[in-house]
């Protein structure tokens, strides 16, 4: 069994807690470096809820090229991608919609009170150590209450800091690719003492994104290139960790992101003209303190201040420049108390408070100045004995909505009202049972009830929002089997199969008008039925040669179940494919490591009505990766080349936004 050294990292505020709980004994371990004999694969096997994990080695051996590609490899995930390096990318899980998928960055949840969706194109894999997706409740109960408030959570864990070594470490990387793509990356990290360590990250991306595409009109084929697609973005982080004693630790992060990009328009016959631009800036500071008293009690606290600016312009608007600018702020605090009375029992109480507000440049951007107080409290109990693991959680959510009336316009048809306050108690239960004493074969089952409060856009956006919207109420049931058979001393395998039923009442579906403006439609009741399957197989021929196979498949029927008399009854919801799949074959050898990989999905509809001739065709996208690692002394060099869309397949993920055809990328990474 592989051993993983889980050094508590500076950026991590809550996932790798000061009191890390072992999933077998529920006892609290020592804070300092912990050697856990159970591998990442074992965690996925024993989890009471569906859990998928991908570390840096997995990303390399699967030929993953970016965040969107990594998510395409996970079962149950539906990604909306507007194409190219600057295209927005949001993730939905099992038909719930992107607003139901929470994203945690080093243990603290990211938020966007305006749209409720996190644009994952903002986060680069170059600084990521691990990705994990949990559907339902996390087996790690020592987490903030906000992490329990989503149907699924994507956890992004950045690279850890060095432990006791005093000398500085430097990582530099340069990526170059098709369509004017250039991205330098620099990371500095150093431990100044046994107690104090820092790291700093800087990254810049420039891309012209002027890739060619074809558009067909019956027998006429028109060739053109993407226009108004240039992007220039940068991101920087400063992290620190201070641990004066083995039982307490203080961590912190300062984060800044700046992205100025043009927004390519919808591709229609004979025109792709667009004058839209978007400038995003995001700044946040977060800190966490964690304390342990023996093996019985542990406390974790988090504080965060977040500021986000979004400036949208359209120079082609008749008569004037269209202005839709937004500023949102968040103040967030969390405390979690863990109690482990015996080796079988563990209990956690978590309380979170956040204040969010939003204002726009004009009444056409947002109505009034809305703000919201959110109070979340959770009580979790975990019991483990023999072959059984059981976790129960009760989450209480309270949202207090207010509206600051301001003089924005003299129009009498603009009503300024507050959205309704919302309160709910949400239970969840999950369990895992080892079916055979001497086999890694587990049965798991879970249930989770949760609700989603409407976003500020859904409540206050001019002409589209409504303060009378009901929250989305969701129920999710899952039953699955995980198995790691003993094939041979040279071959290991992990198989996971889950089936599920999800129900959403008063579902609000967002259909894109363009990359920035969405039309919100209340579908009513939606039912999702599906299966997820994943496979990983590794065979080591000898010390120098190995073969790795991985694959995932999802079947999801996400259907409108509101009115049996409606012509839309039982129709698939917009942008939800019934079939998605991915696979990769990697050959590791002493010369050049090679990976062939593919992702694909079936056809889908860009609307809930399934209008004739609007169906988006399915596709399969192949890629090829080759890399070589060179080590000499303390110097490490990695040279990598990628060919994306190997067979130059023309396809769209979002209607009228063609994805790039065949392209290449070369990266050189140097570590000292």
């Amino acid at each position: 069994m592989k051993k993983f050294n889980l050094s508590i990292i500076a950026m991590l505020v809550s996932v790798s807690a000061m009191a890390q709980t072992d999933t077998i004994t529920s006892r609290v371990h020592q804070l300092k470096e912990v050697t856990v004999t159970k591998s990442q694969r074992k965690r996925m096997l024993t989890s009471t809820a569906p859990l998928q994990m991908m570390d840096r080695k997995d990303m390399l051996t699967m030929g993953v090229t970016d965040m969107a590609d990594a998510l395409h490899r996970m079962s149950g995930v539906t990604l909306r991608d507007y194409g190219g390096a600057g295209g927005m990318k949001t993730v939905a899980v099992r038909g719930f919609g992107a607003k139901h998928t929470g994203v945690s960055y080093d243990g603290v949840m990211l938020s966007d009170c305006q749209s409720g969706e996190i644009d994952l194109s903002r986060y680069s894999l170059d600084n990521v150590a691990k990705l994990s997706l949990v559907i339902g409740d996390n087996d790690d109960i020592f987490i903030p209450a906000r992490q329990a408030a989503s149907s699924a959570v994507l956890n992004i864990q950045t690279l850890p800091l060095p432990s006791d070594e005093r000398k500085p470490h430097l990582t530099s990387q340069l990526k170059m690719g098709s369509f004017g793509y250039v991205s330098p990356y620099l990371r500095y990290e150093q431990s100044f003492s046994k107690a104090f360590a820092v790291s700093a990250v800087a990254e810049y991306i420039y891309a012209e994104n002027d890739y060619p595409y074809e558009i067909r009109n019956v027998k006429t084929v028109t060739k053109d290139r993407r226009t108004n697609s240039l992007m220039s973005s940068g991101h920087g982080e400063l992290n620190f960790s201070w641990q004066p004693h083995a039982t307490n630790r203080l961590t912190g992060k300062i984060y800044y992101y700046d992205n100025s990009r043009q927004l390519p328009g919808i591709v229609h016959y004979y025109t792709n003209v667009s004058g839209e631009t978007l400038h995003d800036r995001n700044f946040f500071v977060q800190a966490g303190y964690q304390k342990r008293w023996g093996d019985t009690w542990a406390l974790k606290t988090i504080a965060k201040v977040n500021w986000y600016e979004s400036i949208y312009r359209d120079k082609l608007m008749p008569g004037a420049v269209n202005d839709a600018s937004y500023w949102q702020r968040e103040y967030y605090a969390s405390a979690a108390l863990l109690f482990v009375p015996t080796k079988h029992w563990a209990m956690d109480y978590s309380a979170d408070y956040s204040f969010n507000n939003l204002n726009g440049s004009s009444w056409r951007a947002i109505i009034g100045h809305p703000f919201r107080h959110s109070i979340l409290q959770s009580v979790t109990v975990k019991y483990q004995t023999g072959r059984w693991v059981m976790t129960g959680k009760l989450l209480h959510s309270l949202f207090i909505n207010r509206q600051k009336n301001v003089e924005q316009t003299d129009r009498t048809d603009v009503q300024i009202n507050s959205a309704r306050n919302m309160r709910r108690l949400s239970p969840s239960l999950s369990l895992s049972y080892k079916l055979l004493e001497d086999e890694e074969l587990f049965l798991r089952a879970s249930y989770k009830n949760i609700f989603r409060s409407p976003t500020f856009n859904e409540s206050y956006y001019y002409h589209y929002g409504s303060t009378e919207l009901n929250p989305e109420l969701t129920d999710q049931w899952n039953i699955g089997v995980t198995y790691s058979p003993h094939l041979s001393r040279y071959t290991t395998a992990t198989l996971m199969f889950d089936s599920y039923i999800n129900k959403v009442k008063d579902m609000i579906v967002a259909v894109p008008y363009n990359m920035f403006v969405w039309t919100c439609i209340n579908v009513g009741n939606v039912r999702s039925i599906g299966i997820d399957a994943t496979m990983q197989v590794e065979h080591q021929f000898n010390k120098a040669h190995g073969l790795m196979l991985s694959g995932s498949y999802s079947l999801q029927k996400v259907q409108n179940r509101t009115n049996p008399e409606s012509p839309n009854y039982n129709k698939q919801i917009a942008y939800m494919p019934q079939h998605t799949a991915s696979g990769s074959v990697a050959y590791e050898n002493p010369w050049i490591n090679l990976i062939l990989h593919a992702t694909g999905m079936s056809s889908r509809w860009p609307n809930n009505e399934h209008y004739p001739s609007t169906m988006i065709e399915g596709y399969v996208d192949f890629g090829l990766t080759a890399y070589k690692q060179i080590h000499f002394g303390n110097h490490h060099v990695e040279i990598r080349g990628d060919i994306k869309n190997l067979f130059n397949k023309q396809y769209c993920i979002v209607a009228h936004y063609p994805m790039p055809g065949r392209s290449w990328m070369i990266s050189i990474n140097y570590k000292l």
Side-chain angles (χ1 to χ4, degrees):
M1 191 76 70
K2 293 183 179 179
K3 295 187 177 182
F4 287 80
N5 192 3
L6 301 182
S7 302
I8 305 297
I9 63 175
M11 296 80 79
L12 198 59
V13 175
S14 69
V15 173
S16 296
M18 179 164 295
Q20 180 72 30
T21 305
D22 190 285
T23 56
I24 295 298
T25 65
S26 287
R27 301 300 292 176
V28 180
H29 290 298
Q30 192 74 4
L31 175 67
K32 277 290 189 180
E33 295 184 4
V34 181
T35 301
V36 180
T37 58
K38 186 166 57 177
S39 68
Q40 176 175 295
R41 178 173 297 177
K42 185 66 175 292
R43 284 190 60 193
M44 293 189 292
L45 286 172
T46 60
S47 175
T48 59
L51 172 65
Q52 300 175 68
M53 305 179 73
M54 187 182 299
D55 60 21
R56 289 186 71 82
K57 183 178 185 300
D58 294 327
M59 297 175 199
L60 189 61
T61 57
M62 293 169 65
V64 172
T65 56
D66 53 30
M67 184 69 73
D69 191 21
L71 295 171
H72 273 305
R73 311 299 182 92
M74 294 184 173
S75 61
V77 169
T78 301
L79 194 74
R80 288 187 183 176
D81 191 335
Y82 287 80
M88 185 173 70
K89 296 165 178 61
T90 60
V91 61
V93 177
R94 291 186 172 182
F96 272 127
K99 297 180 181 69
H100 288 272
T101 304
V103 180
S104 169
Y105 195 72
D106 280 338
V108 182
M109 298 294 286
L110 301 172
S111 68
D112 187 324
C113 65
Q114 180 188 353
S115 69
E117 299 182 344
I118 304 300
D119 182 3
L120 291 168
S121 68
R122 294 167 45 181
Y123 303 97
S124 168
L125 286 182
D126 295 326
N127 194 44
V128 172
K130 183 188 298 182
L131 292 174
S132 65
L133 176 68
V134 59
I135 304 173
D137 276 334
N138 201 323
D139 271 3
D140 181 5
I141 67 172
F142 194 34
I143 57 176
R146 187 185 262 188
Q147 286 204 25
S150 299
S151 300
V153 175
L154 173 68
N155 295 286
I156 303 174
Q157 181 176 319
T158 59
L159 292 171
L161 287 173
S163 53
D164 294 331
E165 190 177 357
R166 300 293 185 274
K167 71 179 209 175
H169 295 266
L170 185 67
T171 301
S172 60
Q173 179 177 271
L174 178 63
K175 287 184 178 180
M176 300 183 66
S178 300
F179 319 124
Y181 183 92
V182 179
S183 177
Y185 167 87
L186 188 66
R187 175 183 171 88
Y188 161 79
E189 54 189 350
Q190 185 172 3
S191 292
F192 292 94
S193 67
K194 291 184 178 180
F196 186 72
V198 299
S199 72
V201 175
E203 178 186 42
Y204 175 73
I205 299 175
Y206 173 87
E208 296 176 358
N209 290 315
D210 57 341
Y211 51 87
Y213 66 89
E214 293 182 353
I215 186 169
R216 297 178 179 271
N217 184 6
V218 191
K219 294 183 179 180
T220 304
V221 178
T222 303
K223 295 184 178 182
D224 208 338
R225 299 188 75 91
R226 214 64 171 111
T227 60
N228 200 63
S229 300
L230 187 144
M231 71 163 290
S232 176
S233 73
H235 139 250
E237 292 184 31
L238 179 64
N239 306 277
F240 78 88
S241 172
W242 182 52
Q243 185 181 334
H245 189 267
T247 60
N248 54 65
R249 176 181 289 253
L250 178 68
T251 60
K253 177 191 292 286
I254 300 174
Y255 175 97
Y256 179 71
Y257 170 83
D258 192 306
N259 186 1
S260 180
R261 52 181 163 170
Q262 299 172 331
L263 301 183
I266 294 175
V267 171
H268 288 296
Y269 298 122
Y270 313 119
T271 180
N272 63 356
V273 177
S274 174
E276 298 171 295
T277 62
L278 180 63
H279 189 182
D280 290 325
R281 291 193 294 168
N282 182 211
F283 173 79
F284 67 77
V285 178
Q286 67 188 40
Y289 175 72
Q290 302 170 33
K291 172 70 176 176
R292 176 175 59 81
W293 295 273
D295 287 340
T296 305
W297 293 92
L299 174 70
K300 179 191 305 181
T301 59
I302 298 170
K304 179 178 180 179
V305 177
N306 181 56
W307 175 84
Y308 182 69
E309 177 187 59
S310 181
I311 308 296
Y312 168 79
R313 299 285 187 273
D314 188 352
K315 298 179 181 179
L316 300 183
M317 282 291 293
V321 174
N322 189 29
D323 182 343
S325 303
Y326 302 89
W327 297 268
Q328 54 178 290
R329 292 151 290 270
E330 179 184 60
Y331 305 93
Y332 169 72
S334 173
L337 182 64
L338 179 69
F339 176 50
V340 188
T342 72
K343 67 178 182 179
H344 299 298
W345 289 94
M347 288 162 274
D348 172 81
Y349 169 73
S350 298
D352 289 18
Y353 168 78
S354 63
F355 173 82
N356 298 86
N357 69 357
L358 174 71
N359 66 286
S361 55
S362 70
W363 57 270
R364 288 190 178 276
I366 204 77
I367 303 300
H369 288 179
F371 60 92
R372 173 181 293 163
H373 301 273
S374 304
I375 302 173
L376 304 176
Q377 300 178 80
S378 66
V379 176
T380 311
V381 177
K382 186 173 183 179
Y383 177 69
Q384 299 170 275
T385 182
R387 301 180 186 179
W388 287 96
V389 179
M390 290 173 282
T391 303
K393 185 185 296 288
L394 198 60
L395 173 70
H396 181 263
S397 305
L398 173 62
F399 298 98
I400 303 172
N401 293 295
R402 293 291 183 266
Q403 170 70 269
K404 180 182 179 182
N405 294 335
V406 294
E407 294 295 331
Q408 298 186 101
T409 176
D410 56 0
R411 293 176 59 107
T412 59
D413 62 332
V414 178
Q415 300 296 322
I416 302 177
N417 300 310
S418 297
R420 63 183 65 179
N421 296 334
M422 298 175 185
R423 178 197 302 264
R424 188 170 179 85
L425 202 60
S426 305
S428 61
L429 178 67
S430 59
L431 58 90
S432 172
Y433 178 69
K434 188 175 183 180
L435 294 172
L436 301 175
E437 186 68 34
D438 55 350
E439 289 284 343
E440 296 296 314
L441 178 62
F442 298 85
L443 175 69
R444 63 186 175 198
S446 60
Y447 165 77
K448 183 169 185 175
N449 171 270
I450 203 68
F451 87 115
R452 183 184 73 81
S453 176
T455 66
F456 284 170
N457 269 1
E458 292 167 339
S459 295
Y460 302 104
Y461 194 81
Y462 182 63
H463 278 330
Y464 295 102
S466 171
T467 57
E468 299 301 316
L469 283 173
N470 292 321
E472 292 184 349
L473 307 178
T474 70
D475 291 289
Q476 53 190 127
W477 293 267
N478 183 90
I479 185 168
V481 175
T482 62
Y483 184 40
S484 181
H486 300 292
L487 299 178
S488 73
R489 59 180 298 187
Y490 305 106
T491 307
T492 61
T494 301
L495 308 172
M496 297 189 295
F497 180 89
D498 288 275
S499 60
Y500 61 88
I501 299 177
N502 299 331
K503 292 184 178 180
V504 183
K505 182 181 178 182
D506 296 324
M507 186 174 187
I508 305 167
V509 174
V511 177
Y513 171 73
N514 59 30
M515 283 179 63
F516 194 71
V517 179
W518 295 65
T519 302
C520 296
I521 301 174
N522 194 319
V523 175
N525 297 333
V526 172
R527 185 187 68 184
S528 176
I529 301 177
I531 60 174
D532 292 337
T534 62
M535 173 199 70
Q536 292 182 344
V537 179
E538 297 184 17
H539 179 76
Q540 202 69 32
F541 297 101
N542 51 48
K543 291 183 178 181
H545 297 266
L547 193 65
M548 281 139 285
L549 308 176
S550 66
S552 69
Y553 169 76
S554 296
L555 167 66
Q556 53 180 356
K557 292 187 176 182
V558 189
Q559 299 167 326
N560 184 343
R561 304 282 292 182
T562 303
N563 181 8
E565 304 300 323
S566 169
N568 300 326
Y569 188 75
N570 266 348
K571 286 186 176 179
Q572 191 85 346
I573 295 299
Y575 285 103
M576 293 296 173
Q578 286 198 14
H579 307 276
T580 58
S582 70
S584 66
V585 180
Y587 172 47
E588 288 191 338
N589 57 79
W591 312 293
I592 298 179
N593 302 299
L594 298 172
I595 306 105
L596 178 65
H597 49 87
T599 60
M601 66 175 64
S602 62
S603 61
R604 55 231 173 272
W605 297 89
N607 49 69
N608 297 317
E609 294 76 18
H610 295 195
Y611 294 127
S613 75
T614 63
M615 186 180 71
I616 306 172
E617 294 182 357
Y619 71 91
V620 178
D621 184 344
F622 287 87
L624 183 65
T625 299
Y627 70 94
K628 174 70 174 180
Q629 294 177 327
I630 304 171
H631 306 280
F632 50 98
N634 294 325
H635 305 270
H636 307 274
V637 177
E638 179 181 288
I639 303 173
R640 171 172 170 166
D642 291 278
I643 301 178
K644 305 178 183 180
N645 200 348
L646 184 62
F647 299 110
N648 202 29
K649 174 70 174 178
Q650 174 84 51
Y651 67 95
C652 294
I653 294 180
V654 175
H656 307 296
Y657 282 87
M659 297 291 289
R662 185 185 299 112
S663 62
W664 58 269
M665 181 175 292
I666 295 176
S667 64
I668 301 176
N669 184 290
Y670 170 74
K671 295 180 182 180
L672 174 62

